Amino acid sequence: MTSETHSLTGTGDTAAGPPPGCPAHGLGPGGLHRLHEAEDLDELYEQLREQHGAVAPALIHDDVPVWVVLGHSENLHMVSTPAQFCRDSRIWTPLKEGMVKPDHPLMPHIAWQPIASHVEGDEHKRLRGAVSGAMSTIDFRSLRRHIKRHTQRLVNRFCEEGRADLVGQFAEHLPMAVMCELLGMADDYDDRLVEAARDALKGTDTSLASHTHVMEVLSRLTARRRAEPGEDFTTHLINHPADLSDDEVREHLRLILFAAYENTANLISNVLRVVLTDPGFRAQLSGGQMTVPEAVEQSLWDEPPFSTIFAYFAKQETELGGQRIRSGDGLLLGIAPGNVDPRIRPDLAANMQGNRSHLAFGGGPHECPGQDIGRAIADSGVDALLMRLPDVQLACAEDELRWRSSIASRHLVELPVRFEPKPPQDVTQAPSHAPAPPQQAPWHVGAPLPRPVGESGPSPVVTRPAPPAADRAAATAPGEPARPLGAWRRLVRWWRGY
């Protein structure tokens, strides 16, 4: 883009688009498609691919021109070539020329901030190194215990009802609960924090107040961990040799919390929806042909949590996908269209098990550093939920499901389900579809009970419990000669100390 024209096609046409209802509705200056007015973005992306190839011109809000990168290899080239493309919106021509106003709906995604995902060079190494270093301290065995414990707590809230909304009551809560544990703010996790994070990402009239609430929580956390270090992500981020300021710590905590929340909530919802609506998919899970982690990976291909990422910017004039890209042009990382590029997926029905080359977590220097945390929350959470509710079924027709869509993502509004009511379970126990068995007596066959320290006298005699009635009946039923016990019953009796 240059000062000569804001149009990617160079037509300079600024005429207003046709009104809603007109066949040409959705077209803007130069005949370019307005992404934010599309009723079906997936369909539009395929139309753009057919018309323009792997990189297509389009418009976002206020008729600001951008390139949409539709090809898989072109997306990978863009994110992996920092000499040509960067995340620094300060070089974006429409922003420099005043086309993008401060209140632009996408400004929260686009506005430059001094955080790892927007900077380059030595500053990127410093900030990214601090985030990656803090993440390297996470114990994934402990993480999975947190996930299962919080899954138990969430399912206990509704298991006795026999009905639930797995978006509002599960998928939108589990990531926040787990991230609060990892960040060292478990006591701050509550419904209000979940609602504030959800609202802050929607762009509603109350988004600013919700964002302020989240930042107040993170500010208190930062101050608390400065004064009282712990064994958590925030403490390790603060203590990293990169020596982040309080503002830098807060901004990176915000970035991690919001990204993990929205990304993982969408991922969990998408996986559960497919499990509930695709009998073949569920049969593969139940039959062992597919594991839950493989189901998560398939979902990352077919319905990534973020469909596009705002935005990359050209640092110099170059060519991408056969298109001339000028210095200062903006480009959208096309995750969803890139994942269905016919050059790499000629058959979209083909199973992608074992293939992690999707674009769901980006790539290159700015590839999502927390992707394995998101995967763990999704696969452990879904697995634990299905263990608790093996008979769960969709409680509405599939075509009644509703989504909240934007250029950035497609978020399932609710996922109503029904199941046979279940009793709550101990959150410290492994999730199960059956009640937990009673614990065995704390003594071993042939061993005396331990005496309290300092107490003298002989050890108490161990009195063995009587064998179960069924075993007694099998051995000596009234009116019949004693029958010999089988090998299995003899083993059970020996094990129980009879």
Side-chain angles (χ1 to χ4, degrees):
M1 300 172 200
T2 69
S3 57
E4 304 164 10
T5 176
H6 296 134
S7 171
L8 290 169
T9 60
T11 64
D13 180 11
T14 59
C22 173
H25 179 61
L27 297 180
L32 299 183
H33 286 274
R34 294 184 173 109
L35 299 180
H36 54 289
E37 292 184 356
E39 294 183 1
D40 187 335
L41 269 173
D42 290 339
E43 182 179 326
L44 176 58
Y45 289 146
E46 292 312 305
Q47 183 180 343
L48 292 174
R49 195 194 309 272
E50 185 177 341
Q51 292 174 348
H52 300 281
V55 179
L59 300 170
I60 56 176
H61 304 76
D62 297 343
D63 286 339
V64 176
V66 295
W67 295 102
V68 186
V69 185
L70 306 167
H72 187 273
S73 62
E74 287 76 15
N75 274 297
L76 285 180
H77 174 80
M78 179 178 68
V79 301
S80 304
T81 315
Q84 295 177 335
F85 304 97
C86 69
R87 297 290 310 280
D88 188 345
S89 62
R90 293 175 297 182
I91 71 170
W92 190 23
T93 301
L95 183 65
K96 291 164 62 178
E97 294 183 352
M99 285 187 68
V100 182
K101 307 299 181 184
D103 61 349
H104 191 279
L106 299 180
M107 187 56 75
H109 299 275
I110 295 170
W112 183 87
Q113 300 171 60
I115 54 178
S117 58
H118 288 173
V119 297
E120 296 183 272
D122 291 341
E123 188 65 358
H124 176 261
K125 291 179 181 178
R126 181 179 78 90
L127 297 176
R128 173 84 177 200
V131 173
S132 300
M135 284 190 174
S136 70
T137 66
I138 294 173
D139 177 1
F140 273 78
R141 291 181 63 184
S142 176
L143 170 63
R144 291 184 183 275
R145 285 196 298 272
H146 288 317
I147 297 166
K148 291 179 180 179
R149 188 172 71 249
H150 283 295
T151 297
Q152 290 279 58
R153 285 180 176 149
L154 291 171
V155 175
N156 281 349
R157 288 185 177 186
F158 56 74
C159 63
E160 295 177 288
E161 301 297 323
R163 305 183 72 87
D165 166 23
L166 293 186
V167 173
Q169 293 178 269
F170 184 73
E172 292 186 339
H173 281 263
L174 182 61
M176 184 64 74
V178 175
M179 291 307 299
C180 285
E181 289 271 7
L182 292 182
L183 298 184
M185 47 186 270
D187 292 341
D188 292 299
Y189 166 70
D190 56 20
D191 289 349
R192 184 185 177 194
L193 185 60
V194 174
E195 291 165 3
R198 182 167 46 194
D199 186 55
L201 292 164
K202 287 181 181 178
T204 65
D205 293 339
T206 56
S207 291
L208 184 58
S210 296
H211 183 270
T212 299
H213 173 69
V214 174
M215 292 307 294
E216 287 173 353
V217 172
L218 296 178
S219 294
R220 291 196 299 269
L221 170 65
T222 302
R224 186 165 66 245
R225 284 297 174 253
R226 285 279 189 197
E228 304 171 4
E231 287 299 322
D232 50 61
F233 178 90
T234 302
T235 298
H236 291 295
L237 186 64
I238 290 172
N239 292 339
H240 192 273
D243 193 24
L244 271 61
S245 67
D246 281 358
D247 283 343
E248 288 174 330
V249 171
R250 278 193 301 270
E251 286 302 317
H252 283 88
L253 291 177
R254 178 188 63 82
L255 174 68
I256 292 164
L257 189 66
F258 279 152
Y261 169 74
E262 177 72 4
N263 207 328
T264 312
N266 280 356
L267 179 56
I268 293 171
S269 298
N270 292 341
V271 173
L272 287 173
R273 181 189 62 80
V274 177
V275 169
L276 293 169
T277 59
D278 187 338
F281 196 90
R282 189 164 187 170
Q284 284 186 299
L285 273 179
S286 302
Q289 295 96 339
M290 179 187 290
T291 63
V292 175
E294 288 171 336
V296 168
E297 221 61 39
Q298 183 71 38
S299 180
L300 289 169
W301 273 104
D302 296 335
E303 198 164 10
F306 287 115
S307 33
T308 62
I309 294 292
F310 295 91
Y312 280 76
F313 307 95
K315 299 169 66 174
Q316 60 188 39
E317 183 165 325
T318 185
E319 181 180 330
L320 184 66
Q323 300 283 9
R324 174 196 171 200
I325 310 297
R326 289 168 289 188
S327 177
D329 280 5
L331 306 95
L332 304 186
L333 169 59
I335 297 173
N339 277 357
V340 296
D341 185 342
R343 293 174 297 176
I344 65 160
R345 290 187 72 186
D347 179 8
L348 294 180
N351 195 301
M352 301 302 286
Q353 287 185 31
N355 189 335
R356 285 192 170 190
S357 58
H358 52 72
L359 302 169
F361 296 111
H366 297 294
E367 183 175 9
C368 176
Q371 57 185 278
D372 287 336
I373 297 174
R375 284 186 171 102
I377 295 173
D379 68 57
S380 293
V382 169
D383 185 51
L385 174 76
L386 295 178
M387 284 295 296
R388 287 289 305 274
L389 308 174
D391 60 336
V392 65
Q393 296 180 4
L394 192 64
C396 68
E398 183 179 351
D399 59 8
E400 293 178 6
L401 295 175
R402 296 178 297 110
W403 278 263
R404 184 176 67 250
S405 298
S406 68
I407 302 174
S409 66
R410 186 169 178 258
H411 189 101
L412 190 62
V413 174
E414 60 182 359
L415 189 60
V417 296
R418 64 178 185 273
F419 47 87
E420 285 297 317
K422 308 286 192 299
Q425 290 186 8
D426 184 345
V427 299
T428 64
Q429 299 298 315
S432 170
H433 61 272
Q439 293 185 344
Q440 297 293 325
W443 51 269
H444 299 284
V445 175
L449 292 175
R451 299 290 309 186
V453 177
E455 185 175 324
S456 59
S459 296
V461 177
V462 175
T463 302
R464 296 178 180 175
D471 284 354
R472 295 200 305 270
T476 55
E480 294 183 12
R483 291 180 306 197
L485 296 176
W488 173 250
R489 288 192 177 278
R490 291 199 303 273
L491 176 61
V492 170
R493 285 167 58 84
W494 170 81
W495 179 258
R496 292 176 176 172
Y498 302 136

